């Protein structure tokens, strides 16, 4: 059973609902984010279970709030999951991106980059979200599998998954569960706000499952 956060628990560790309630309505890009699928679908599909208050649970809550803020909150001054003016992130040793990059480009474009399976340079913030929300309409879920080191440098393994039930860039859905695994290293403050996050994973392993391993196959068949 999940424990109820106390008054001493920092807002960014109280979960997405608490952060939504504390965020000014005008900060949201289009509407208040809705995570009912995380409450109804995710519990049956996740492969890890964490005791409330454990380090794994805390890290998962923090990253979920971070993902919500960068995806839905257009005003980084109101983000609570990070020290916005100092924050930076990258993947696989690529150049660093800051909070403003996430606001302007979107996390998909920043953390996937240009690929034969996904040309990030051709996508805007809105179009990138449309691509993946359309392909994985039942939700694109994320969970912590294992935490390898404690703060202030938290290394953790994770899983990201969804059901391929919508079209992806001309490729028809298969209805299969598609997933990817990776590792991240987060540097945090004493009160567990994010300062820096490095991600390590192979985006093409996941994206290839949405294209049958061939990003131009549908173009050839349509010719």
């Amino acid at each position: 059973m999940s424990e109820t956060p106390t008054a001493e628990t920092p807002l960014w560790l109280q979960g997405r609902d608490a952060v939504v309630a504390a965020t000014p309505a005008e900060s949201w890009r289009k509407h208040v984010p809705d995570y009912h699928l995380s409450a109804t679908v995710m519990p049956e599909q996740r492969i890890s279970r964490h005791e409330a208050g454990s380090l794994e649970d805390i890290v998962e809550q923090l990253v979920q709030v971070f993902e919500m803020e960068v995806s839905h909150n257009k005003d980084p001054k109101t983000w609570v999951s990070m020290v916005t003016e100092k924050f930076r992130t990258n993947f696989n040793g690529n150049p660093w991106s800051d909070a403003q990059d996430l606001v302007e480009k979107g996390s998909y474009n920043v953390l996937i980059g240009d690929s034969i399976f996904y040309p990030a340079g051709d996508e805007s913030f809105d179009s990138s979200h449309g691509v993946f929300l359309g392909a994985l309409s039942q939700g694109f879920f994320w969970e912590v599998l294992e935490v390898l080191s404690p703060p202030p440098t938290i290394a953790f393994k994770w899983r990201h998954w969804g059901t391929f039930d919508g079209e992806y860039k001309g490729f028809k859905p298969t209805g299969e569960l598609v997933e990817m695994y990776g590792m991240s290293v987060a540097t945090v403050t004493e009160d567990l706000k994010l300062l820096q996050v490095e991600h390590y994973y192979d985006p093409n392993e996941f994206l290839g499952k949405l294209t049958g391993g061939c990003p131009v196959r549908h173009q050839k068949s349509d010719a």
Side-chain angles (χ1 to χ4, degrees):
M1 181 178 294
S2 177
E3 296 179 356
T4 301
T6 67
E8 291 75 28
T9 303
L11 176 61
W12 49 96
L13 302 182
Q14 293 182 28
R16 290 178 295 207
D17 289 345
V19 175
V20 166
T23 300
E26 61 272 16
S27 294
W28 302 117
R29 286 183 176 270
K30 295 181 179 179
H31 50 73
V32 177
D34 179 2
Y35 287 97
H36 75 278
L37 290 175
S38 292
T40 57
V41 177
M42 181 178 171
E44 297 300 320
Q45 295 185 356
R46 65 181 301 149
I47 60 177
S48 63
R49 296 288 186 274
H50 307 307
E51 183 179 350
S54 66
L55 186 53
E56 286 80 7
D57 177 59
I58 290 171
V59 172
E60 187 169 289
Q61 296 264 16
L62 175 59
V63 175
Q64 286 178 343
V65 169
F66 164 79
E67 184 279 331
M68 177 185 71
E69 291 188 312
V70 301
S71 296
H72 299 286
N73 187 336
K74 65 180 183 292
D75 184 3
K77 295 189 297 297
T78 66
W79 293 355
V80 298
S81 60
M82 67 176 74
V83 181
T84 305
E85 64 275 14
K86 296 182 178 180
F87 180 80
R88 65 178 188 171
T89 187
N90 71 2
F91 75 101
N92 298 346
N94 283 286
W96 293 101
S97 297
D98 60 17
Q100 194 60 37
D101 291 320
L102 292 171
V103 170
E104 295 176 357
K105 300 176 183 178
S107 56
Y108 287 119
N109 292 332
V110 166
L111 297 177
I112 294 178
D114 278 306
S115 161
I116 192 171
F117 299 101
Y118 178 77
D122 295 340
E123 302 290 347
S124 66
F125 186 108
D126 289 335
S127 69
S128 67
H129 279 258
V131 166
F132 290 101
L133 292 178
L136 308 164
S137 69
Q138 295 181 45
F140 194 15
F141 306 112
W142 186 90
E143 66 178 327
V144 167
L145 298 177
E146 182 181 6
V147 174
L148 303 174
S149 62
T153 303
I154 309 172
F156 55 97
K157 297 178 180 179
W158 49 263
R159 170 180 175 248
H160 213 349
W161 78 97
T163 300
F164 183 22
D165 61 349
E167 187 175 290
Y168 175 80
K169 290 188 170 293
F171 290 90
K172 301 301 180 184
T174 63
E176 68 177 315
L177 185 73
V178 293
E179 55 189 347
M180 60 179 168
Y181 293 82
M183 176 180 172
S184 297
V185 181
T187 303
V188 299
T189 61
E190 288 187 3
D191 56 357
L192 300 183
K193 282 196 172 189
L194 295 168
L195 291 169
Q196 172 178 299
V197 186
E198 301 170 84
H199 301 286
Y200 299 95
Y201 75 109
D202 181 3
N204 289 339
E205 182 179 1
F206 169 75
L207 295 170
K209 296 174 183 176
L210 303 179
T211 63
C214 179
V216 297
R217 187 182 64 191
H218 71 294
Q219 296 175 359
K220 294 179 180 179
S221 65
D222 292 343

